[in-house]
Amino acid sequence: MTLDRRKDERRVFDRRQRDRRYGPDQPVSPMEPKTREDVNQLRRQLEYELRMVRETTGYISTHGNRIGEFDLDANLESYLLHVRFLLDFFFPTVQYHSRGPCALDFTPEWSDRETISELLNHVRHKGDSLLGGMSFFRVELPTKKEMSAVVAELEAIRSRFELLLNVERQAPDDNAAE
């Protein structure tokens, strides 16, 4: 309890807690049908994440000889962060799924069709160990070949997701027309 300075007594509740904002409410069920606007917003977000991965890959590939400089380290962290966002969306861990949307929320068949590759799992592990806190692990600059392979694999996964999303989106419309 907090001290009420006017009466030298303790208040039953803290006034600051009443006015505190907690962020947007989560939908009741993540499996509820998604609107066209939800899908469009998802597509914009996925395009942004992929663009950031491509741009940081290009920057690191071009300036990779300047290891240890601030801008290269910042781009490496950005690369790992955006790759991890995409991996958490397409291949959610139990901890991530409780925090945000994932591919399963939009296409329930996704888990039956896709599994994470060894390369992407390695990048996820690297991102998990290097981002969000201090670490004794040394930041190893990924090779151009590795980064290009990650970008190509993420774009292929997104294409497969889009295809499945379009198939599921068209099915209800076809039934409504009949």
Side-chain angles (χ1 to χ4, degrees), residues 141-159:
L141 195 62
T143 64
K144 293 178 186 181
K145 185 177 179 181
E146 179 186 59
M147 291 188 333
S148 296
V150 167
V151 170
E153 196 166 339
L154 286 172
E155 287 178 343
I157 289 169
R158 183 194 177 191
S159 296

Side-chain angles (χ1 to χ4, degrees), residues 19 28-29 44 61 63 69 74 99 111 116 120 141 149 151 161:
D19 298 331
V28 177
S29 169
R44 286 190 297 270
S61 295
H63 299 94
E69 292 192 22
R99 290 192 323 236
S111 64
I116 191 166
L120 294 181
L141 195 62
V151 170
F161 174 73

Side-chain angles (χ1 to χ4, degrees), residues 27-44:
V28 177
S29 169
M31 295 307 288
E32 67 187 19
K34 304 299 181 205
T35 64
R36 189 173 305 278
E37 181 56 35
D38 292 340
V39 172
N40 290 338
Q41 183 177 356
L42 170 70
R43 285 182 170 132
R44 286 190 297 270

Side-chain angles (χ1 to χ4, degrees), residues 103-159:
L104 292 170
D105 296 336
F106 290 85
T107 57
E109 295 179 10
W110 181 254
S111 64
D112 299 336
R113 297 177 181 239
E114 293 295 325
T115 56
I116 191 166
S117 71
E118 189 63 37
L119 173 65
L120 294 181
N121 203 24
H122 173 71
V123 173
R124 172 185 264 171
H125 178 68
K126 187 183 289 189
D128 287 346
S129 63
L130 297 176
L131 296 173
M134 294 178 66
S135 173
F136 287 109
F137 294 106
R138 202 167 161 266
V139 178
E140 293 180 19
L141 195 62
T143 64
K144 293 178 186 181
K145 185 177 179 181
E146 179 186 59
M147 291 188 333
S148 296
V150 167
V151 170
E153 196 166 339
L154 286 172
E155 287 178 343
I157 289 169
R158 183 194 177 191
S159 296

Side-chain angles (χ1 to χ4, degrees), residues 26-32 34 84-108 110-111 124:
Q26 294 293 323
V28 177
S29 169
M31 295 307 288
E32 67 187 19
K34 304 299 181 205
R84 194 169 80 174
F85 286 158
L86 287 167
L87 293 178
D88 285 344
F89 176 78
F90 289 120
F91 309 103
T93 58
V94 174
Q95 297 86 5
Y96 177 81
H97 190 62
S98 64
R99 290 192 323 236
C102 68
L104 292 170
D105 296 336
F106 290 85
T107 57
W110 181 254
S111 64
R124 172 185 264 171

